[in-house]
């Protein structure tokens, strides 16, 4: 009973050769997610232009998410592990600190967007679309960051 | 040279795409020229990849990061070119019919640009002297 699904296998997807193209596919998927997030927010800002319908301060979350995206992707995994050539200004510890702050900003923006959705739109029973837009913008930027950061390999000598 | 036929069909594709864009603007029932801002995106779209082709290939490892960033930015430009007409239509700046025509034109033009890179860009030493 415990292992009765062990022999069930999904059909192998042989059509796509992931090896060579993995980095390119990851970059493209990350790009689609990131910019779709921003266009959702632009759409919400255009269709709900007044301060009452959507407080303009809610754009801050997206800005911090974007800043976090660039911070997280500015350091390569090699620099965090410590196996690159130059020491740089702060070395490996600096790279780790930079990455830490970047991830904190990213998680903070995501949590803030969820808070905005529920606290600013669901609970006061306003039209919820701008709140959903803020949430989706930050969630999409978050996933885009993860895919761009971890979906690419850095095999230098492949 | 990968062939005159490819060049002619790509230029035909480009003309059809621009035709759809202009139809979306200039038909008397629409008569709004806001979608012409998309020309800006069409011109920007090949630039990141071209820059990464020129700047890269110094060392094998570093060039990949540049190429990936270029792919990211190019994807962003393409998504923006699809997003802008939709936002225009939702804001009722243009009609939805015009939006549909413009999106069709987008698809054709980006397919043309992609085709241009696939057909003419894939030689290993990409040097400008070839032209």
């Amino acid at each position: 009973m415990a292992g009765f699904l062990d022999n069930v296998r999904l059909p192998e997807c042989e059509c796509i050769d992931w090896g060579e193209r993995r980095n390119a596919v990851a970059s493209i998927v990350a790009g689609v997610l990131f910019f779709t997030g921003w266009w959702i927010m632009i759409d919400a800002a255009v269709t709900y232009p007044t301060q009452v319908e959507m407080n303009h301060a809610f754009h801050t979350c997206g800005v911090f998410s974007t800043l976090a995206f660039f911070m997280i992707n500015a350091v390569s995994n090699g620099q965090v592990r410590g196996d690159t050539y130059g020491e740089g200004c702060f070395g490996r510890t600096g790279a780790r600190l930079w990455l830490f702050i970047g991830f904190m900003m990213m998680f903070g923006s995501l949590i803030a967007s969820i808070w905005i959705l529920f606290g600013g739109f669901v609970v006061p029973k306003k039209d919820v679309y701008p709140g959903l837009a803020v949430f989706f913008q930050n969630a999409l930027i978050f996933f885009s960051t993860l895919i761009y950061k971890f979906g690419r390999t850095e095999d230098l000598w492949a | 040279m990968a062939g005159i036929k490819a060049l002619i069909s790509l230029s035909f594709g480009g003309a059809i795409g621009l035709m759809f864009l202009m139809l979306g603007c200039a038909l008397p029932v629409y008569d709004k020229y806001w979608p012409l801002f998309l020309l800006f995106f069409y011109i920007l779209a090949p630039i990141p990849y071209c820059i990464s082709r020129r700047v890269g290939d110094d060392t094998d490892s570093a060039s990949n990061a540049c190429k990936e960033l270029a792919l990211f930015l190019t994807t962003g430009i393409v998504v923006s070119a699809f997003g802008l007409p939709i936002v225009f239509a939702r804001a009722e700046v243009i009609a939805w019919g015009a939006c549909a025509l413009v999106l069709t034109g987008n698809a054709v033009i980006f397919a043309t640009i992609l085709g241009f890179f696939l057909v003419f860009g894939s030689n290993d030493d990409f040097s400008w002297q070839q032209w």
Side-chain angles (χ1 to χ4, degrees), chain A residues 23-24 27-28 30-32 34-36 39 42-43 46-47 69-70 129 144 148 152-153 156, chain B residues 41 60-61 64-65 67-69 71-73 75-77 79-81 83-84 86-87 90-91:
Chain A
N23 284 9
S27 307
I28 292 174
V32 169
F34 182 88
F35 284 94
T36 305
W39 277 97
I42 292 174
D43 178 67
V46 164
T47 43
F69 176 94
F70 288 112
Y129 179 77
S144 163
Y148 198 71
R152 303 179 297 148
T153 61
L156 298 182
Chain B
F41 288 120
D60 274 323
S61 61
N64 272 334
K67 189 179 123 188
E68 285 152 19
L69 184 63
L71 271 179
F72 179 81
L73 292 176
T75 316
I77 292 170
V79 167
S80 299
L84 186 64
I86 295 178
V87 171
R90 280 182 43 91

Side-chain angles (χ1 to χ4, degrees), chain B:
Chain B
M1 243 316 241
I4 290 287
K5 276 193 216 168
L7 189 67
I8 293 180
S9 27
L10 284 175
S11 66
F12 182 68
I16 296 284
L18 286 174
M19 179 197 82
F20 275 114
L21 179 67
M22 287 313 299
L23 277 180
C25 296
L27 280 177
V29 67
Y30 302 131
D31 199 30
K32 292 269 172 38
Y33 287 87
W34 289 103
L36 289 183
F37 275 111
L38 286 172
L39 290 172
F40 180 64
F41 288 120
Y42 296 160
I43 293 175
L44 277 186
I47 291 179
Y49 192 66
C50 287
I51 293 180
S52 83
R53 289 280 286 263
R54 295 271 275 169
V55 164
D57 299 328
D58 291 343
T59 66
D60 274 323
S61 61
S63 65
N64 272 334
C66 200
K67 189 179 123 188
E68 285 152 19
L69 184 63
L71 271 179
F72 179 81
L73 292 176
T74 308
T75 316
I77 292 170
V78 171
V79 167
S80 299
F82 280 97
L84 186 64
I86 295 178
V87 171
F88 275 152
R90 280 182 43 91
E92 278 151 33
V93 168
I94 65 176
W96 281 102
C99 174
L101 280 172
V102 167
L103 289 180
T104 312
N106 258 351
V108 173
I109 293 226
F110 285 123
T112 304
I113 294 178
L114 180 67
F116 190 86
F117 275 110
L118 287 178
V119 169
F120 290 107
S122 56
N123 29 1
D124 279 321
D125 46 356
F126 182 73
S127 67
W128 293 100
Q129 277 89 40
Q130 278 191 323
W131 298 90

Side-chain angles (χ1 to χ4, degrees), chain A residues 2-10:
Chain A
F4 75 102
L5 283 179
D6 280 350
N7 289 327
V8 173
R9 294 191 58 92
L10 292 176

